[in-house]
Short mmCIF file of all heavy atoms in Angstrom, two decimals:
data_model
loop_
_atom_site.label_atom_id
_atom_site.label_comp_id
_atom_site.label_asym_id
_atom_site.label_seq_id
_atom_site.Cartn_x
_atom_site.Cartn_y
_atom_site.Cartn_z
N MET A 425 78.71 108.16 101.62
CA MET A 425 78.89 106.76 101.60
C MET A 425 80.00 106.36 102.67
O MET A 425 80.90 107.02 102.96
CB MET A 425 79.49 106.34 100.22
CG MET A 425 79.67 104.89 100.02
SD MET A 425 80.01 104.33 98.35
CE MET A 425 80.72 105.57 97.59
N THR A 426 79.63 105.32 103.35
CA THR A 426 80.59 104.85 104.41
C THR A 426 80.83 103.34 104.25
O THR A 426 79.94 102.57 103.97
CB THR A 426 79.94 105.06 105.80
OG1 THR A 426 79.55 106.38 105.91
CG2 THR A 426 80.92 104.63 106.99
N PHE A 427 82.12 102.95 104.38
CA PHE A 427 82.48 101.63 104.29
C PHE A 427 83.30 101.24 105.53
O PHE A 427 84.14 101.94 105.90
CB PHE A 427 83.45 101.48 103.12
CG PHE A 427 83.83 100.07 102.85
CD1 PHE A 427 83.01 99.19 102.19
CD2 PHE A 427 85.12 99.53 103.30
CE1 PHE A 427 83.40 97.86 101.87
CE2 PHE A 427 85.35 98.18 103.15
CZ PHE A 427 84.63 97.41 102.34
N ARG A 428 82.85 100.13 106.26
CA ARG A 428 83.46 99.80 107.45
C ARG A 428 83.50 98.25 107.51
O ARG A 428 82.60 97.58 107.22
CB ARG A 428 82.70 100.28 108.63
CG ARG A 428 82.62 101.78 108.79
CD ARG A 428 83.43 102.32 109.89
NE ARG A 428 83.55 103.69 109.94
CZ ARG A 428 82.75 104.55 110.46
NH1 ARG A 428 81.67 104.12 110.99
NH2 ARG A 428 82.97 105.84 110.38
N ALA A 429 84.69 97.77 108.03
CA ALA A 429 84.72 96.30 108.37
C ALA A 429 83.83 95.96 109.60
O ALA A 429 83.57 96.84 110.41
CB ALA A 429 86.24 95.91 108.76
N VAL A 430 83.29 94.83 109.59
CA VAL A 430 82.45 94.35 110.67
C VAL A 430 83.44 94.02 111.83
O VAL A 430 84.37 93.29 111.63
CB VAL A 430 81.65 93.16 110.31
CG1 VAL A 430 80.90 92.64 111.48
CG2 VAL A 430 80.56 93.53 109.21
N PRO A 431 83.29 94.64 112.99
CA PRO A 431 84.15 94.43 114.04
C PRO A 431 84.02 93.07 114.70
O PRO A 431 83.00 92.39 114.66
CB PRO A 431 83.75 95.49 115.13
CG PRO A 431 82.28 95.75 114.75
CD PRO A 431 82.12 95.54 113.43
N GLY A 432 85.20 92.67 115.33
CA GLY A 432 85.34 91.27 115.84
C GLY A 432 84.32 90.94 116.98
O GLY A 432 83.89 89.93 117.19
N HIS A 433 83.76 92.08 117.70
CA HIS A 433 82.64 91.74 118.77
C HIS A 433 81.43 91.30 118.17
O HIS A 433 80.59 90.97 118.87
CB HIS A 433 82.68 92.87 119.70
CG HIS A 433 81.94 94.14 119.14
ND1 HIS A 433 82.68 95.28 118.60
CD2 HIS A 433 80.67 94.42 118.95
CE1 HIS A 433 81.83 96.13 118.09
NE2 HIS A 433 80.70 95.67 118.31
N CYS A 434 81.34 91.48 116.92
CA CYS A 434 80.00 90.90 116.20
C CYS A 434 80.25 89.43 115.80
O CYS A 434 79.25 88.91 115.24
CB CYS A 434 79.75 91.78 115.00
SG CYS A 434 79.35 93.41 115.35
N HIS A 435 81.41 88.83 115.98
CA HIS A 435 81.56 87.48 115.57
C HIS A 435 80.65 86.57 116.43
O HIS A 435 80.48 86.81 117.69
CB HIS A 435 83.07 86.96 115.81
CG HIS A 435 83.35 85.64 115.17
ND1 HIS A 435 83.11 84.53 115.83
CD2 HIS A 435 83.96 85.44 113.96
CE1 HIS A 435 83.47 83.57 115.05
NE2 HIS A 435 84.00 84.02 113.90
N PRO A 436 79.95 85.58 115.70
CA PRO A 436 79.05 84.75 116.54
C PRO A 436 79.65 84.07 117.76
O PRO A 436 78.89 83.86 118.66
CB PRO A 436 78.60 83.62 115.44
CG PRO A 436 78.85 84.34 114.09
CD PRO A 436 80.07 85.24 114.46
N SER A 437 80.87 83.79 117.82
CA SER A 437 81.49 83.04 119.00
C SER A 437 81.53 84.02 120.25
O SER A 437 81.72 83.58 121.35
CB SER A 437 82.87 82.62 118.72
OG SER A 437 83.79 83.68 118.48
N VAL A 438 81.50 85.35 120.07
CA VAL A 438 81.49 86.29 121.15
C VAL A 438 80.30 87.16 121.29
O VAL A 438 80.11 87.85 122.37
CB VAL A 438 82.82 87.18 121.22
CG1 VAL A 438 84.07 86.28 121.27
CG2 VAL A 438 82.95 87.98 119.96
N ARG A 439 79.39 87.17 120.27
CA ARG A 439 78.28 88.02 120.38
C ARG A 439 77.44 87.74 121.58
O ARG A 439 77.14 86.63 121.89
CB ARG A 439 77.43 87.91 119.07
CG ARG A 439 76.39 88.90 118.99
CD ARG A 439 75.52 88.73 117.73
NE ARG A 439 76.33 88.57 116.51
CZ ARG A 439 76.04 87.73 115.68
NH1 ARG A 439 74.98 86.89 115.70
NH2 ARG A 439 76.80 87.56 114.55
N GLY A 440 77.10 88.67 122.40
CA GLY A 440 76.22 88.52 123.62
C GLY A 440 76.98 88.13 124.79
O GLY A 440 76.48 87.91 125.82
N THR A 441 78.33 87.95 124.72
CA THR A 441 79.15 87.48 125.92
C THR A 441 79.71 88.53 126.68
O THR A 441 80.19 88.32 127.71
CB THR A 441 80.24 86.57 125.49
OG1 THR A 441 81.24 87.28 124.64
CG2 THR A 441 79.72 85.35 124.60
N GLY A 442 79.70 89.84 126.24
CA GLY A 442 80.25 90.93 126.82
C GLY A 442 81.79 91.11 126.43
O GLY A 442 82.35 92.08 126.90
N ALA A 443 82.26 90.22 125.61
CA ALA A 443 83.69 90.34 125.26
C ALA A 443 83.83 91.57 124.16
O ALA A 443 82.91 91.79 123.54
CB ALA A 443 84.16 89.12 124.45
N ASP A 444 84.95 92.23 124.43
CA ASP A 444 85.14 93.46 123.57
C ASP A 444 85.65 93.15 122.22
O ASP A 444 85.46 93.94 121.29
CB ASP A 444 86.14 94.34 124.27
CG ASP A 444 85.70 95.09 125.50
OD1 ASP A 444 84.53 95.24 125.60
OD2 ASP A 444 86.43 95.42 126.37
N ASP A 445 86.26 91.90 122.02
CA ASP A 445 86.81 91.62 120.68
C ASP A 445 86.77 90.13 120.42
O ASP A 445 86.83 89.34 121.39
CB ASP A 445 88.20 92.17 120.51
CG ASP A 445 88.62 92.33 118.94
OD1 ASP A 445 87.56 92.38 118.22
OD2 ASP A 445 89.74 92.50 118.83
N GLY A 446 86.62 89.73 119.25
CA GLY A 446 86.58 88.27 118.93
C GLY A 446 87.40 88.16 117.65
O GLY A 446 88.18 89.08 117.19
N PRO A 447 87.28 87.00 117.11
CA PRO A 447 88.06 86.64 115.93
C PRO A 447 87.53 87.71 114.74
O PRO A 447 86.51 88.26 114.79
CB PRO A 447 87.59 85.32 115.41
CG PRO A 447 87.01 84.73 116.64
CD PRO A 447 86.50 85.79 117.46
N SER A 448 88.44 87.94 113.78
CA SER A 448 88.06 88.82 112.61
C SER A 448 86.84 88.39 111.91
O SER A 448 86.65 87.01 111.86
CB SER A 448 89.28 89.14 111.74
OG SER A 448 89.56 87.87 111.15
N VAL A 449 86.10 89.25 111.46
CA VAL A 449 84.87 88.93 110.66
C VAL A 449 85.19 89.30 109.25
O VAL A 449 85.48 90.45 109.01
CB VAL A 449 83.63 89.63 111.19
CG1 VAL A 449 82.41 89.30 110.46
CG2 VAL A 449 83.50 89.30 112.78
N ASP A 450 84.98 88.37 108.35
CA ASP A 450 85.34 88.54 106.93
C ASP A 450 84.11 89.15 106.17
O ASP A 450 83.84 88.68 105.05
CB ASP A 450 85.79 87.27 106.29
CG ASP A 450 86.85 87.46 105.21
OD1 ASP A 450 87.42 88.54 105.14
OD2 ASP A 450 87.05 86.56 104.35
N TYR A 451 83.53 90.16 106.76
CA TYR A 451 82.48 90.89 106.16
C TYR A 451 82.79 92.44 106.33
O TYR A 451 83.37 92.82 107.23
CB TYR A 451 81.04 90.44 106.68
CG TYR A 451 80.77 89.16 106.45
CD1 TYR A 451 81.11 88.17 107.28
CD2 TYR A 451 80.06 88.75 105.28
CE1 TYR A 451 80.74 86.75 107.01
CE2 TYR A 451 79.62 87.51 104.94
CZ TYR A 451 79.99 86.58 105.80
OH TYR A 451 79.68 85.15 105.56
N ALA A 452 82.11 93.23 105.54
CA ALA A 452 82.10 94.72 105.68
C ALA A 452 80.71 95.23 105.35
O ALA A 452 79.90 94.56 104.68
CB ALA A 452 83.11 95.32 104.73
N ARG A 453 80.40 96.43 105.88
CA ARG A 453 79.11 97.13 105.71
C ARG A 453 79.43 98.26 104.81
O ARG A 453 80.38 99.02 104.95
CB ARG A 453 78.54 97.58 106.98
CG ARG A 453 78.08 96.52 107.92
CD ARG A 453 77.47 97.20 109.14
NE ARG A 453 77.10 96.23 110.12
CZ ARG A 453 77.73 96.14 111.30
NH1 ARG A 453 78.67 96.96 111.60
NH2 ARG A 453 77.45 95.22 112.13
N LEU A 454 78.46 98.47 103.82
CA LEU A 454 78.52 99.57 102.97
C LEU A 454 77.24 100.37 103.14
O LEU A 454 76.17 99.87 102.96
CB LEU A 454 78.71 99.22 101.50
CG LEU A 454 78.74 100.32 100.47
CD1 LEU A 454 79.83 101.30 100.58
CD2 LEU A 454 78.61 99.67 99.09
N TRP A 455 77.32 101.58 103.59
CA TRP A 455 76.13 102.58 103.77
C TRP A 455 76.19 103.47 102.52
O TRP A 455 77.26 104.12 102.27
CB TRP A 455 76.32 103.42 105.00
CG TRP A 455 76.02 102.65 106.38
CD1 TRP A 455 74.72 102.65 106.89
CD2 TRP A 455 76.91 101.93 107.10
NE1 TRP A 455 74.89 102.02 108.14
CE2 TRP A 455 76.20 101.52 108.24
CE3 TRP A 455 78.30 101.66 107.02
CZ2 TRP A 455 76.78 100.92 109.27
CZ3 TRP A 455 78.85 101.04 108.07
CH2 TRP A 455 78.08 100.57 109.12
N VAL A 456 75.06 103.75 101.87
CA VAL A 456 74.95 104.66 100.81
C VAL A 456 73.71 105.57 101.10
O VAL A 456 72.62 105.04 101.39
CB VAL A 456 74.80 103.98 99.43
CG1 VAL A 456 74.56 104.97 98.34
CG2 VAL A 456 75.91 103.04 99.21
N THR A 457 73.96 106.87 101.08
CA THR A 457 72.76 107.80 101.32
C THR A 457 72.77 108.76 100.18
O THR A 457 73.80 109.24 99.67
CB THR A 457 73.09 108.56 102.64
OG1 THR A 457 73.26 107.67 103.79
CG2 THR A 457 72.00 109.44 103.01
N GLU A 458 71.57 109.02 99.69
CA GLU A 458 71.46 109.93 98.64
C GLU A 458 71.68 111.39 99.17
O GLU A 458 71.34 111.71 100.27
CB GLU A 458 69.95 109.97 98.03
CG GLU A 458 69.66 108.62 97.39
CD GLU A 458 69.03 108.74 96.06
OE1 GLU A 458 69.08 109.79 95.56
OE2 GLU A 458 68.49 107.69 95.58
N HIS A 459 72.32 112.17 98.33
CA HIS A 459 72.68 113.56 98.74
C HIS A 459 71.31 114.34 98.96
O HIS A 459 70.46 114.34 98.29
CB HIS A 459 73.33 114.25 97.63
CG HIS A 459 74.76 113.68 97.31
ND1 HIS A 459 75.77 113.92 98.28
CD2 HIS A 459 75.18 112.99 96.34
CE1 HIS A 459 76.88 113.32 97.82
NE2 HIS A 459 76.56 112.76 96.72
N GLY A 460 71.33 114.93 100.27
CA GLY A 460 70.26 115.72 100.73
C GLY A 460 68.82 114.97 101.01
O GLY A 460 67.84 115.56 101.03
N ASP A 461 69.06 113.65 101.17
CA ASP A 461 67.87 112.80 101.28
C ASP A 461 68.14 111.94 102.58
O ASP A 461 69.25 111.63 102.99
CB ASP A 461 67.67 111.94 100.12
CG ASP A 461 66.29 111.23 100.13
OD1 ASP A 461 65.60 111.34 101.16
OD2 ASP A 461 66.02 110.66 99.05
N GLU A 462 67.18 111.62 103.25
CA GLU A 462 67.11 110.81 104.50
C GLU A 462 67.21 109.34 104.10
O GLU A 462 67.62 108.49 104.92
CB GLU A 462 65.81 111.07 105.31
CG GLU A 462 65.69 112.43 105.83
CD GLU A 462 66.69 112.73 106.98
OE1 GLU A 462 66.96 111.74 107.80
OE2 GLU A 462 67.28 113.87 107.14
N ALA A 463 66.88 108.98 102.81
CA ALA A 463 66.82 107.58 102.43
C ALA A 463 68.30 106.99 102.34
O ALA A 463 69.20 107.70 101.99
CB ALA A 463 66.21 107.47 101.05
N SER A 464 68.47 105.83 102.78
CA SER A 464 69.78 105.16 102.74
C SER A 464 69.58 103.67 102.59
O SER A 464 68.51 103.19 102.73
CB SER A 464 70.58 105.43 103.97
OG SER A 464 70.03 104.89 105.08
N ALA A 465 70.67 103.04 102.24
CA ALA A 465 70.72 101.61 102.17
C ALA A 465 72.01 101.09 102.69
O ALA A 465 73.01 101.76 102.66
CB ALA A 465 70.65 101.20 100.67
N VAL A 466 71.84 99.98 103.42
CA VAL A 466 73.09 99.25 103.97
C VAL A 466 73.17 97.89 103.50
O VAL A 466 72.14 97.17 103.45
CB VAL A 466 72.93 99.26 105.54
CG1 VAL A 466 74.13 98.54 106.07
CG2 VAL A 466 72.77 100.68 106.05
N VAL A 467 74.38 97.53 102.98
CA VAL A 467 74.48 96.13 102.53
C VAL A 467 75.67 95.64 103.24
O VAL A 467 76.70 96.34 103.54
CB VAL A 467 74.70 96.01 100.99
CG1 VAL A 467 73.43 96.34 100.24
CG2 VAL A 467 75.85 96.83 100.50
N VAL A 468 75.65 94.30 103.59
CA VAL A 468 76.80 93.52 104.19
C VAL A 468 77.38 92.69 103.14
O VAL A 468 76.60 91.94 102.46
CB VAL A 468 76.35 92.67 105.40
CG1 VAL A 468 77.52 91.91 106.00
CG2 VAL A 468 75.70 93.56 106.44
N LEU A 469 78.73 92.90 102.80
CA LEU A 469 79.32 92.14 101.73
C LEU A 469 80.43 91.27 102.29
O LEU A 469 81.12 91.58 103.22
CB LEU A 469 80.02 93.22 100.77
CG LEU A 469 79.17 94.29 100.26
CD1 LEU A 469 79.96 95.49 99.73
CD2 LEU A 469 78.18 93.79 99.24
N ASP A 470 80.49 90.05 101.59
CA ASP A 470 81.61 89.25 101.99
C ASP A 470 82.83 89.53 101.07
O ASP A 470 82.76 90.46 100.17
CB ASP A 470 81.15 87.72 101.81
CG ASP A 470 80.86 87.32 100.53
OD1 ASP A 470 81.26 87.94 99.44
OD2 ASP A 470 80.18 86.33 100.30
N ARG A 471 83.94 88.94 101.21
CA ARG A 471 85.15 89.23 100.60
C ARG A 471 85.03 89.10 99.10
O ARG A 471 85.42 89.90 98.20
CB ARG A 471 86.34 88.29 101.03
CG ARG A 471 87.61 88.70 100.42
CD ARG A 471 88.79 87.99 101.12
NE ARG A 471 89.06 88.43 102.44
CZ ARG A 471 89.72 89.53 102.69
NH1 ARG A 471 90.29 90.23 101.81
NH2 ARG A 471 89.89 89.98 103.95
N ASP A 472 84.32 88.00 98.60
CA ASP A 472 84.15 87.82 97.21
C ASP A 472 83.29 88.99 96.55
O ASP A 472 83.63 89.49 95.46
CB ASP A 472 83.45 86.52 96.74
CG ASP A 472 84.33 85.38 97.08
OD1 ASP A 472 85.57 85.49 97.18
OD2 ASP A 472 83.82 84.27 97.29
N GLN A 473 82.26 89.41 97.24
CA GLN A 473 81.49 90.53 96.78
C GLN A 473 82.16 91.85 96.72
O GLN A 473 82.08 92.65 95.76
CB GLN A 473 80.14 90.68 97.60
CG GLN A 473 79.16 89.42 97.48
CD GLN A 473 78.15 89.51 98.52
OE1 GLN A 473 78.41 89.80 99.72
NE2 GLN A 473 76.98 89.26 98.13
N ILE A 474 83.11 92.02 97.78
CA ILE A 474 83.94 93.25 97.75
C ILE A 474 84.85 93.24 96.54
O ILE A 474 85.07 94.33 95.89
CB ILE A 474 84.59 93.37 99.11
CG1 ILE A 474 83.60 93.55 100.27
CG2 ILE A 474 85.69 94.45 99.13
CD1 ILE A 474 84.23 93.43 101.63
N THR A 475 85.49 92.03 96.41
CA THR A 475 86.37 92.04 95.16
C THR A 475 85.72 92.32 93.89
O THR A 475 86.14 92.96 93.00
CB THR A 475 87.07 90.61 95.17
OG1 THR A 475 87.71 90.48 96.38
CG2 THR A 475 87.96 90.48 94.03
N GLU A 476 84.44 91.75 93.63
CA GLU A 476 83.63 92.01 92.48
C GLU A 476 83.38 93.40 92.36
O GLU A 476 83.36 93.97 91.31
CB GLU A 476 82.43 91.14 92.49
CG GLU A 476 81.55 91.24 91.23
CD GLU A 476 80.30 90.33 91.29
OE1 GLU A 476 80.26 89.37 92.12
OE2 GLU A 476 79.53 90.53 90.36
N LEU A 477 82.91 93.99 93.46
CA LEU A 477 82.44 95.44 93.43
C LEU A 477 83.78 96.25 92.97
O LEU A 477 83.70 97.17 92.19
CB LEU A 477 81.98 95.95 94.84
CG LEU A 477 81.63 97.30 94.96
CD1 LEU A 477 80.55 97.78 93.88
CD2 LEU A 477 81.20 97.64 96.30
N ARG A 478 84.92 96.00 93.64
CA ARG A 478 86.12 96.78 93.30
C ARG A 478 86.44 96.64 91.85
O ARG A 478 86.71 97.61 91.05
CB ARG A 478 87.32 96.26 94.12
CG ARG A 478 88.65 96.84 93.82
CD ARG A 478 89.87 96.04 94.21
NE ARG A 478 89.80 94.74 93.45
CZ ARG A 478 90.47 93.70 93.78
NH1 ARG A 478 91.14 93.66 94.84
NH2 ARG A 478 90.41 92.62 93.02
N ASP A 479 86.46 95.47 91.28
CA ASP A 479 86.70 95.20 89.86
C ASP A 479 85.73 95.95 88.94
O ASP A 479 86.04 96.43 87.97
CB ASP A 479 86.77 93.69 89.64
CG ASP A 479 87.99 92.92 90.29
OD1 ASP A 479 88.76 93.70 90.90
OD2 ASP A 479 87.90 91.70 90.39
N THR A 480 84.53 95.82 89.30
CA THR A 480 83.47 96.54 88.51
C THR A 480 83.62 98.02 88.54
O THR A 480 83.55 98.67 87.46
CB THR A 480 82.05 96.16 89.02
OG1 THR A 480 81.81 94.70 89.02
CG2 THR A 480 81.00 96.73 88.21
N LEU A 481 83.91 98.59 89.74
CA LEU A 481 84.06 99.95 89.81
C LEU A 481 85.39 100.47 89.14
O LEU A 481 85.35 101.42 88.41
CB LEU A 481 84.13 100.48 91.22
CG LEU A 481 82.82 100.41 92.00
CD1 LEU A 481 82.98 100.69 93.45
CD2 LEU A 481 81.77 101.21 91.35
N THR A 482 86.45 99.58 89.17
CA THR A 482 87.72 99.98 88.36
C THR A 482 87.48 99.86 86.85
O THR A 482 87.93 100.80 86.27
CB THR A 482 88.83 99.03 88.82
OG1 THR A 482 89.02 99.11 90.28
CG2 THR A 482 90.11 99.24 88.07
N ARG A 483 86.80 98.87 86.41
CA ARG A 483 86.44 98.82 84.97
C ARG A 483 85.64 100.03 84.52
O ARG A 483 85.93 100.75 83.50
CB ARG A 483 85.76 97.53 84.64
CG ARG A 483 86.53 96.38 84.47
CD ARG A 483 85.93 95.19 83.85
NE ARG A 483 84.65 94.78 84.49
CZ ARG A 483 84.51 94.06 85.59
NH1 ARG A 483 85.60 93.45 86.00
NH2 ARG A 483 83.38 93.72 86.04
N TRP A 484 84.67 100.45 85.42
CA TRP A 484 83.82 101.63 85.01
C TRP A 484 84.63 102.92 85.04
O TRP A 484 84.51 103.72 84.11
CB TRP A 484 82.71 101.73 86.06
CG TRP A 484 81.76 102.79 85.71
CD1 TRP A 484 80.67 102.83 84.80
CD2 TRP A 484 81.77 104.09 86.32
NE1 TRP A 484 80.09 104.10 84.89
CE2 TRP A 484 80.70 104.88 85.71
CE3 TRP A 484 82.55 104.66 87.33
CZ2 TRP A 484 80.40 106.23 86.16
CZ3 TRP A 484 82.31 106.00 87.68
CH2 TRP A 484 81.20 106.74 87.08
N LEU A 485 85.46 103.02 86.00
CA LEU A 485 86.29 104.28 86.09
C LEU A 485 87.34 104.31 84.96
O LEU A 485 87.64 105.47 84.53
CB LEU A 485 87.09 104.40 87.48
CG LEU A 485 86.16 104.72 88.64
CD1 LEU A 485 86.93 104.42 89.98
CD2 LEU A 485 85.67 106.06 88.67
N ASP A 486 87.86 103.15 84.57
CA ASP A 486 88.81 103.22 83.58
C ASP A 486 88.27 103.23 82.19
O ASP A 486 89.03 103.45 81.20
CB ASP A 486 89.75 101.93 83.68
CG ASP A 486 90.59 101.89 84.94
OD1 ASP A 486 90.77 103.06 85.59
OD2 ASP A 486 91.03 100.80 85.34
N SER A 487 87.03 103.01 82.07
CA SER A 487 86.43 102.98 80.59
C SER A 487 86.09 104.44 80.13
O SER A 487 85.93 105.31 80.85
CB SER A 487 85.17 102.17 80.65
OG SER A 487 84.13 102.76 81.28
N ARG A 488 86.15 104.53 78.86
CA ARG A 488 85.81 105.85 78.24
C ARG A 488 84.29 105.95 78.21
O ARG A 488 83.71 107.09 78.16
CB ARG A 488 86.38 106.01 76.83
CG ARG A 488 87.87 106.02 76.95
CD ARG A 488 88.53 106.19 75.61
NE ARG A 488 88.36 107.53 75.19
CZ ARG A 488 88.39 107.87 73.80
NH1 ARG A 488 88.63 106.94 72.95
NH2 ARG A 488 88.20 109.08 73.52
N ASP A 489 83.55 104.77 78.13
CA ASP A 489 82.12 104.77 77.93
C ASP A 489 81.62 104.07 79.17
O ASP A 489 81.50 102.77 79.08
CB ASP A 489 81.68 104.15 76.64
CG ASP A 489 80.15 104.20 76.50
OD1 ASP A 489 79.49 105.03 77.12
OD2 ASP A 489 79.67 103.45 75.69
N PRO A 490 81.32 104.68 80.28
CA PRO A 490 80.87 103.92 81.49
C PRO A 490 79.71 102.92 81.35
O PRO A 490 78.80 103.29 80.49
CB PRO A 490 80.59 104.90 82.54
CG PRO A 490 81.24 106.25 82.01
CD PRO A 490 81.30 106.06 80.55
N VAL A 491 79.81 101.86 81.92
CA VAL A 491 78.71 100.78 81.89
C VAL A 491 77.44 101.44 82.48
O VAL A 491 77.44 102.14 83.47
CB VAL A 491 79.14 99.55 82.74
CG1 VAL A 491 77.94 98.64 82.78
CG2 VAL A 491 80.40 98.97 82.28
N ARG A 492 76.37 101.19 81.80
CA ARG A 492 75.13 101.84 82.21
C ARG A 492 74.34 100.70 82.85
O ARG A 492 74.12 99.64 82.54
CB ARG A 492 74.39 102.42 81.02
CG ARG A 492 75.20 103.62 80.52
CD ARG A 492 74.40 104.40 79.53
NE ARG A 492 75.32 105.33 78.80
CZ ARG A 492 75.65 106.47 79.21
NH1 ARG A 492 75.05 106.82 80.27
NH2 ARG A 492 76.39 107.27 78.44
#
């Protein structure tokens, strides 16, 4: 699994202009690959989705009976 912020050079105001950096982009990419498998999925998440994912994972980790 890989989690990375979307870099500033992907911001619409500088995309395709050759600029190395632009304003911060309030999105992140999450790559998930199955162990020993070529299959993978990539999702782009906004700040609200990242917060919801964090809270959901924290509840799951803190629970004695994980959510199914």
Side-chain angles (χ1 to χ4, degrees):
M425 182 167 28
T426 305
F427 183 84
R428 298 248 168 89
V430 174
H433 69 263
C434 292
H435 192 278
S437 68
V438 296
R439 190 178 314 138
T441 65
D444 289 336
D445 204 15
S448 63
V449 179
D450 210 17
Y451 292 90
R453 291 185 188 111
L454 175 65
W455 284 265
V456 180
T457 304
E458 295 227 13
H459 292 288
D461 194 352
E462 297 283 326
S464 65
V466 179
V467 292
V468 176
L469 304 168
D470 64 23
R471 184 170 290 278
D472 290 339
Q473 292 168 317
I474 293 166
T475 301
E476 182 178 349
L477 178 60
R478 179 204 59 203
D479 294 345
T480 301
L481 292 173
T482 299
R483 280 192 306 274
W484 181 81
L485 287 169
D486 291 345
S487 72
R488 295 179 73 204
D489 183 22
V491 177
R492 298 189 192 273

